[in-house]
Amino acid sequence: FFKISYGSKPRAAAGYFFSILLGLLTKLDHSEIKSEEIAQAIEQLRESQHKLRPEQDLDNNLAKQIALKIGDRIPLIIGSLTSKGVAQRLKQQFNLNSKTSAFFDQLPEAIHNTLIGLELPKELAQKLFVILIQSVFADEMQKQYDRVVFEMLERQRIEYESLLVDPQSSQI
């Protein structure tokens, strides 16, 4: 039994839990992650956290910019095989922190299920704001899916935002 003392909700302590596991795996020589990579990831997270603080002005805060674009519409977050975890977590953040409805789907299913289904009733499409989570690790097939999503959204006149997940950057 190992107790983690962290003065917040359990989900907020996940990073501490995983760092303990990573430390153990490193000591057992079962991890290929270097301490420099961990330090870089921590620094990138700190930079992102600073950029997304409520005190940050609108021009420098992507979260505020997206919130303004969403307005009173319902977020529909779409992720790929490589970004579905990020997309699903973002959906949960809307539900939990904004106390609003939000939905998540994964490509390619989102194309032939959700997006096609937005054709009727016509009013529904205008009540949504789509966020497509893209990844720098996307292969050619995934990039094609992304292009199809953009075309469908443009054709149906659904507003959207595309966010690129790049672990080498502090943007997302």
Side-chain angles (χ1 to χ4, degrees):
F1 177 75
F2 185 81
K3 183 176 180 179
I4 298 174
S5 297
Y6 183 73
S8 189
K9 297 185 182 198
R11 67 179 169 268
Y16 289 93
F17 176 72
F18 287 114
S19 64
I20 292 168
L21 289 177
L22 180 59
L24 179 62
L25 291 171
T26 301
K27 291 276 185 198
L28 296 172
D29 202 27
H30 289 293
S31 172
E32 295 180 12
I33 300 174
K34 299 178 181 84
S35 59
E36 298 84 26
E37 294 171 318
I38 294 170
Q40 179 185 8
I42 290 170
E43 182 58 31
Q44 289 170 338
L45 287 171
R46 285 189 176 132
E47 288 176 26
S48 293
Q49 184 180 34
H50 178 74
K51 290 177 183 178
L52 299 174
R53 290 178 43 220
E55 300 82 24
Q56 194 66 265
D57 66 319
L58 177 64
D59 291 339
N60 296 309
N61 189 319
L62 182 61
K64 286 183 179 182
Q65 294 168 15
I66 292 173
L68 280 175
K69 290 178 183 179
I70 293 171
D72 63 349
R73 292 175 287 185
I74 301 167
L76 168 60
I77 300 95
I78 299 175
S80 66
L81 185 60
T82 55
S83 66
K84 71 178 179 181
V86 175
Q88 187 169 19
R89 184 65 186 133
L90 181 56
K91 175 254 190 235
Q92 293 166 345
Q93 290 292 96
F94 276 110
N95 297 145
L96 181 68
N97 297 327
S98 301
K99 308 295 186 227
T100 187
S101 294
F103 299 93
F104 152 78
D105 207 343
Q106 178 184 335
L107 292 172
E109 289 81 11
I111 293 171
H112 59 265
N113 293 332
T114 305
L115 294 177
I116 290 290
L118 293 178
E119 293 178 5
L120 290 173
K122 293 190 182 294
E123 303 81 33
L124 179 61
Q126 301 313 307
K127 294 181 182 188
L128 294 176
F129 184 88
V130 175
I131 300 173
L132 178 63
I133 307 293
Q134 296 181 284
S135 171
V136 294
F137 301 112
D139 59 17
E140 280 308 310
M141 180 63 76
Q142 180 58 51
K143 290 176 184 176
Q144 180 61 34
Y145 290 148
D146 291 347
R147 287 189 287 274
V148 170
V149 169
F150 293 138
E151 290 171 11
M152 292 178 78
L153 294 173
E154 293 286 337
R155 187 176 63 247
Q156 295 183 47
R157 293 186 176 95
I158 299 173
E159 287 192 55
Y160 65 91
E161 180 78 27
S162 171
L163 301 177
L164 181 64
V165 176
D166 182 356
Q168 298 299 317
S169 167
S170 62
Q171 294 299 313
I172 297 287

